[in-house]
Amino acid sequence: MHWSDVIAQRLAERGNDHIIATGITPSGEFHIGHLREILTGDMIARAARRAGLNAELVFVVDNADPLRKVYPFLDSSYEEFIGHQLGAIPAPNEDGEPDWNRYEREGWSYGDHFLEPFLMALKQIGVEPRLIPNLTSYREGKFADAAKKACDDPDAIREIIERVSGRELPADWFPWQPIDSKGSLDGLTITGYEYPLVMWTDQYGAKGQSDITKGEGKLPWRLDWPAKWGFNNITCEPFGKDHGAAGGSFATGVEIAAFFGHEPPQSLVYEWISLRGKGAMSSSTGNTVGPIEALRLVPPEILRLLIANSKPNKAIEFDTGMGLVNLADEYERLSSRDFAEELSNDTLSRRQRVQIEDAQAALRLSMVSAGEQAEATSVSFRHLALLAQIKPDDDGIWSSLIESGAISEPTSALSDRLMRMRAWTGSKHFPEEMRIEILSEPDETSLSQLDEEQRKVIHHIATELDAAEWTAEGITLAFKNAATHAEAPMRSMYRACYAMFMGSERGPRLAPILANCVREEVCGLAKSCAAQLS
């Protein structure tokens, strides 16, 4: 059983109607690490619907959370907003300064600024959840019931948190964070409580009162989370391993939810996505690859497969170089498989059948539209990367693929993939080991570094290429014939070829590359190199 089907089965035991929640604080640029949470939720919702359940995906926007610090992408003027709620402060402009004009004109907040591009990426990737802005929930009084129970009996809440988490709360801790005289949640002292008002004194000496029914403040995170489960009717929620640790916020949330009078959701703990060689992704440090950036490079199905094909408890190392190539090729292999035929084999062991069913489910969940059939393009990511570098126009690529018999005509899926491929090959993420540049004229420096045996081969290469059949096989044969005539080993022949055609000592397989280049240009370059060494 695929992991999403396992969770769907557990949900079925709890009833027929389900709300699967995901939630992220919009404190900075969203990155593909955030995709793990929301795609995990989306895949659970799809599996639940496939199992016959009524399931809805919601995205809780934690814009009632405060700005923690002035991040590197913000102007120092944001110092005044530390502690202020993300949905109640202006968004940064392109210089990182508060955009007061748009905030006052449209109410465009800091949280909106970072949420909008993420929602655009989600739409491309087939995820359109119902949004639940947390700040709106506070202001509409949806937290009021939980807040009253907590404020009426703060000792009970304190006991749960201290016992389960194993840490001691400050003596002046109170289960409600009012907004102070300048709009911050930080630095207040609670001086009294009489429902629905929490009285306070702030760090500036101002005194005031906070109405919990109007959301003039918020619950601390360990109370905020279980409170949301109740009034949003959440029955399932995936979350990161930090929340799922022993004594973490889920463990305390389970008991606090019972105190509030409702059940905790079915949980699923997932591991982080890190960038290869750079560690865990972080919006605040800039160690990210954004979803929009990633979708410029690869089709959405490939990013969905990244999540669908990994068990939630397995860490994912996202590699924008060869890792993407391997992932895309895996998608092509899955797309070309006939799972129905494979599963009809009665001799399969239980383990083999589970592996096939898991692969089938991963491919199904990779589709942007649920129920959509995967379309194999019959062109590997590697080969398309090669063509995108040596063919400047798309028509040349289609002609090459049609002549080779790989396709009969370009499909919309293949056209979309080529568009993204050109963006990838032109980006910093494209792996150097796959980068191709065929010379237009001899590279004197590279040729001068060849020994006598390697130079001798070049004359024979020029002659053999001139008469070769212009296919990868024909060019390979020409190389072998040249080495034979020169009485040189193949290593000398290839060393000479890379110097002639790429100005390097080594590189990717040359024959398939040259076969897709203009014959006259390749043969002309070979002859020019031979003439230069005469």
Side-chain angles (χ1 to χ4, degrees):
M1 241 188 204
H2 189 266
W3 56 263
S4 63
D5 294 317
V6 172
I7 299 299
Q9 189 176 70
R10 292 175 186 170
L11 292 180
E13 295 169 358
R14 297 172 62 132
N16 193 63
D17 299 321
H18 296 280
I19 294 179
I20 294 91
T22 61
I24 302 171
T25 301
S27 57
E29 180 187 358
F30 286 77
H31 51 70
I32 62 165
H34 294 122
L35 283 182
R36 180 155 213 180
E37 170 151 332
I38 198 158
L39 279 177
T40 298
D42 175 70
M43 290 172 186
I44 292 171
R46 288 191 182 188
R49 294 185 199 112
R50 194 165 182 271
L53 306 177
N54 293 324
E56 181 185 22
L57 179 67
V58 300
F59 181 22
V60 179
V61 184
D62 286 315
N63 59 349
D65 289 358
L67 181 69
R68 302 293 182 188
K69 63 180 181 179
V70 178
Y71 300 113
F73 50 81
L74 296 175
D75 181 76
S76 59
S77 57
Y78 269 93
E79 185 79 31
E80 67 174 294
F81 295 123
I82 292 177
H84 292 233
Q85 294 173 300
L86 299 176
I89 59 176
N93 61 21
E94 58 185 16
D95 297 320
E97 301 168 341
D99 189 345
W100 283 106
N101 288 334
R102 193 172 184 191
Y103 182 68
E104 292 170 354
R105 186 177 67 252
E106 305 173 28
W108 190 249
S109 72
Y110 184 105
D112 298 326
H113 173 80
F114 291 106
L115 180 64
E116 184 184 49
F118 186 61
L119 295 179
M120 290 170 58
L122 291 182
K123 190 170 184 178
Q124 284 189 54
I125 214 164
V127 183
E128 296 188 63
R130 174 166 62 90
L131 298 184
I132 303 177
N134 217 29
L135 186 56
T136 301
S137 295
Y138 272 105
R139 290 173 174 174
E140 291 178 349
K142 293 181 179 178
F143 280 91
D145 182 64
K148 182 180 186 302
K149 289 177 179 176
C151 293
D152 283 350
D153 196 354
D155 290 339
I157 296 293
R158 175 189 289 272
E159 189 278 330
I160 292 172
I161 294 175
E162 292 187 336
R163 172 172 48 80
V164 178
S165 71
R167 68 185 183 92
E168 188 175 345
L169 294 173
D172 61 351
W173 180 88
F174 192 74
W176 181 258
Q177 297 173 288
I179 296 172
D180 73 7
S181 61
K182 295 186 181 296
S184 174
L185 294 167
D186 296 341
L188 290 97
T189 300
I190 304 302
T191 58
Y193 165 68
E194 185 175 341
Y195 179 80
L197 303 177
V198 176
M199 277 61 78
W200 53 262
T201 300
D202 67 17
Q203 57 189 312
Y204 312 105
K207 301 179 185 297
Q209 52 192 26
S210 170
D211 189 334
I212 64 177
T213 65
K214 297 178 180 178
E216 295 174 349
K218 73 180 294 292
L219 293 168
W221 165 247
R222 285 183 184 255
L223 284 75
D224 175 288
W225 196 18
K228 288 182 291 194
W229 297 338
F231 67 78
N232 286 320
N233 300 310
I234 307 303
T235 57
C236 178
E237 183 164 1
F239 49 83
K241 64 178 183 179
D242 54 339
H243 295 314
S249 50
F250 184 74
T252 54
V254 168
E255 291 205 26
I256 292 172
F259 177 85
F260 288 155
H262 56 259
E263 292 291 320
Q266 170 65 52
S267 63
L268 179 63
V269 180
Y270 60 81
E271 265 280 1
W272 306 133
I273 296 181
S274 62
L275 278 179
R276 185 176 184 184
K278 295 184 179 180
M281 274 181 262
S282 168
S283 300
S284 60
T285 62
N287 183 34
T288 65
V289 172
I292 292 291
E293 182 182 6
L295 286 167
R296 285 185 63 248
L297 310 180
V298 292
E301 294 86 359
I302 306 300
L303 288 184
R304 290 189 65 98
L305 180 64
L306 178 71
I307 308 303
N309 211 27
S310 302
K311 292 182 179 179
N313 63 357
K314 179 183 177 184
I316 296 176
E317 186 179 63
F318 186 65
D319 178 8
T320 56
M322 290 306 298
L324 272 186
V325 178
N326 297 331
L327 184 65
D329 284 349
E330 171 65 11
Y331 176 80
E332 288 302 325
R333 284 191 292 271
L334 289 173
S335 300
S336 62
R337 288 173 64 175
D338 187 337
F339 290 105
E341 182 178 346
E342 291 182 39
L343 291 170
S344 67
N345 184 351
D346 293 335
T347 65
L348 291 173
S349 66
R350 183 178 180 278
R351 182 177 180 181
Q352 289 173 321
R353 187 171 295 278
V354 166
Q355 288 176 334
I356 294 171
E357 289 174 345
D358 275 358
Q360 183 182 36
L363 179 63
R364 181 175 63 246
L365 292 169
S366 299
M367 298 299 97
V368 172
S369 298
E372 185 179 280
Q373 292 296 310
E375 178 183 339
T377 63
S378 303
V379 182
S380 74
F381 218 61
R382 295 168 194 268
H383 189 54
L384 194 60
L386 181 156
L387 294 176
Q389 293 180 81
I390 61 179
K391 301 281 188 183
D393 61 277
D394 294 359
D395 288 341
I397 292 178
W398 305 140
S399 296
S400 174
L401 292 173
I402 291 170
E403 288 171 9
S404 68
I407 64 172
S408 56
E409 61 179 357
T411 63
S412 59
L414 194 54
S415 296
D416 177 79
R417 180 161 300 186
L418 176 58
M419 175 191 70
R420 299 175 199 270
M421 178 61 73
R422 289 202 183 280
W424 188 47
T425 57
S427 76
K428 64 181 180 180
H429 302 294
F430 192 68
E432 287 301 317
E433 58 263 46
M434 289 184 65
R435 204 170 287 283
I436 299 168
E437 185 176 350
I438 300 299
L439 300 175
S440 57
E441 56 185 34
D443 184 317
E444 294 183 12
T445 301
S446 295
L447 293 177
S448 68
Q449 294 172 351
L450 299 177
D451 62 28
E452 191 59 37
E453 185 177 64
Q454 293 161 351
R455 291 178 179 220
K456 182 181 177 182
V457 173
I458 287 180
H459 296 279
H460 294 285
I461 291 173
T463 301
E464 291 296 328
L465 282 178
D466 205 35
E469 178 185 354
W470 210 248
T471 62
E473 294 76 14
I475 293 171
T476 299
L477 180 60
F479 289 163
K480 291 179 180 177
N481 289 340
T484 299
H485 293 316
E487 298 181 344
M490 289 298 289
R491 67 175 179 273
S492 292
M493 187 276 301
Y494 279 118
R495 175 68 179 84
C497 283
Y498 285 120
M500 292 169 64
F501 300 117
M502 302 185 75
S504 62
E505 294 184 17
R506 62 184 63 85
R509 288 184 58 205
L510 265 175
I513 295 171
L514 297 180
N516 284 285
C517 293
V518 178
R519 177 176 188 145
E520 291 74 17
E521 293 178 0
V522 173
C523 291
L525 176 59
K527 290 173 183 176
S528 295
C529 290
Q532 188 164 313
L533 294 176
S534 296

